[in-house]
Amino acid sequence: MASKLFLHSCQGTRKRSYMLVVSLIRVDGLLGGGLPAGDLVELCGPSAVGKTQLCLAWAAAALLAGARVLVADAKCEFSVARCRRLLRRRGRSAQECDRLLERLQYAQVFSMQELLALLEAVRSRRRLHAGLRLLVVDSLAALAAPLLASPGFIGFGLLTDVGTTLKSVAAECRLTALVTNDLVQSEPGGGERPALGLAWLHVPHHRLLLSRETSTAPGPLAQPPRAGPRRTATLAKSISAPCGTSADFLVTGAGVEEAPTAQKRSAPED
Amino acid sequence: MTSRACRQVAMLACDSSPCGESGRQLLARLAPRPDLGSVLTELCPHHPVPGDIVEISGPGGSGKTQLLMECVAAALSCDSTSAVVLLDTDRHVRMPRLLQLLQRHLPSAAAARSAASRLELLTATSSQQARVALEALLARLEEHAGVLLLAVDSLSAFYWSDRHALGRVGERADAWYRQLGQQLVRLAGRGRLVVVATRHSLSAGATGWHHMGAEWSAAVTRSVCLRPQQGAVEATLRMVARTEVAAPPPPSLWKRRFVITDEGVRWLEVLADNE
């Protein structure tokens, strides 16, 4: 059965704006002050660059703001224990942390169909999920990539369904949908691009590309350059903020922190 | 999508032209339309007329939705009575941004809000919903021809989902989207409005393949291809001269660059003209 058709005029949509702030002023500033409600935000970057850490930071910030958080974990890398440590570092007592974590719902998903079922449950039981302001999918690439080579366009079809449903849920529930994705080589010798192909490229409202610095200090012979803690988030796509801007932050044992000497760089002018 | 739903929408989509029209429908169809005129001059250097179909295509993030919203804002500003219908399948349209663009055309915030109230926003989460909405719009326009512009963002939002749901045989998906194209062509013609639609790049490289079919490609009078390049976007416009328009033949190829600013689209230099 076709789902309901929504028909409303411009004046009828008076929804209060809601931004989730991670307390990294420069990273929050890339999207206009935090994660915008009603939008789908993609964190894209190579392995171990800090995508999950940034998701943890935003989840902790949402809990501290009194919101509910739903995490769909496909890689079993989202550590609720680490989230609790982040809350403790923000000065919350053990009892307060336990109370805050009551508002974090954690679900393991192992297929695109399970993810779709979870999203449909959120949409159909909005009262149960009242106060839900952040929905994290970590990682969409882990769920979708194995299906993209399947015959019959099942992978592309499910990816489109997930994208449509994520944006619908984000708009209807006034939450931010945050998904992580990998980077792949676009062509031999060419640059990197977000994984999941052309079918996904246009879907997110905003895309943050994360990259890491490589240590330039000479090390022992035959040792690869060590990656430092500094990361750069670049706004590659946005429906509301200027693209090309970037901001630095640090990923440390304590979580994500402001980079001490980072400068917010703007896109080159024409 | 169930096969029953497919059949129901297919029946709606069939060209069931009535053998005649009522006097009221005739008067509504022949009533003078506001001139989009100087509106959209950057995008369409020769004035679009009712029945024109403008297609904006390009990769993700190239500015298709921003350009579409510029068209919507311009159409709402050119006349104080005409309405604009926006079919949003991508959920990239934002009302605060539209209000900001309207304030660039109109003298006050109150005038911008008044203009925005003439926008009818249709949201669809599947191609079946989109087609039902378009069919309902066509039926309404045959009675009350008050819509100046139909904006669709985008034509390809559900393509892969439909391709998967309609089975392994690509011909069924092709037929489905051919019928969607026919619906839009009927709306442009019988509804006497301008259609502006965006389309994502569904295949890498310039293969010439169009998921809406050859009939739609032939019906498009202005095709705008966007290509991000060095901090700006290069727009290539191809126009098809319509024999019923009594005007000098427009240039067939036109290239300009633009950037998207807080105030909206800012056009830069002309790269090529009259090629």
Side-chain angles (χ1 to χ4, degrees), chain B residues 30-92:
Chain B
L30 297 181
R33 308 305 308 279
D35 183 15
L36 270 174
S38 60
V39 160
L40 310 178
T41 50
E42 298 293 350
L43 184 61
C44 304
H46 291 265
H47 304 164
V49 296
D52 266 355
I53 297 176
V54 182
E55 187 191 68
I56 305 170
S57 61
S62 55
K64 300 183 294 296
T65 303
Q66 296 297 319
L67 214 52
L68 185 92
M69 284 204 283
E70 291 276 350
C71 295
V72 169
L76 285 170
S77 313
C78 79
D79 183 78
S80 61
T81 57
S82 292
V84 170
V85 175
L86 172 56
L87 176 59
D88 185 11
T89 62
D90 245 0
R91 291 192 185 260
H92 278 50

Side-chain angles (χ1 to χ4, degrees), chain A residues 8 10-18 37 126 171-174, chain B residues 96:
Chain A
H8 54 90
C10 183
Q11 285 185 330
T13 53
R14 295 194 185 279
K15 306 278 187 185
R16 185 173 59 87
S17 172
Y18 193 99
R126 246 183 284 176
E172 292 168 31
C173 302
R174 297 304 296 165

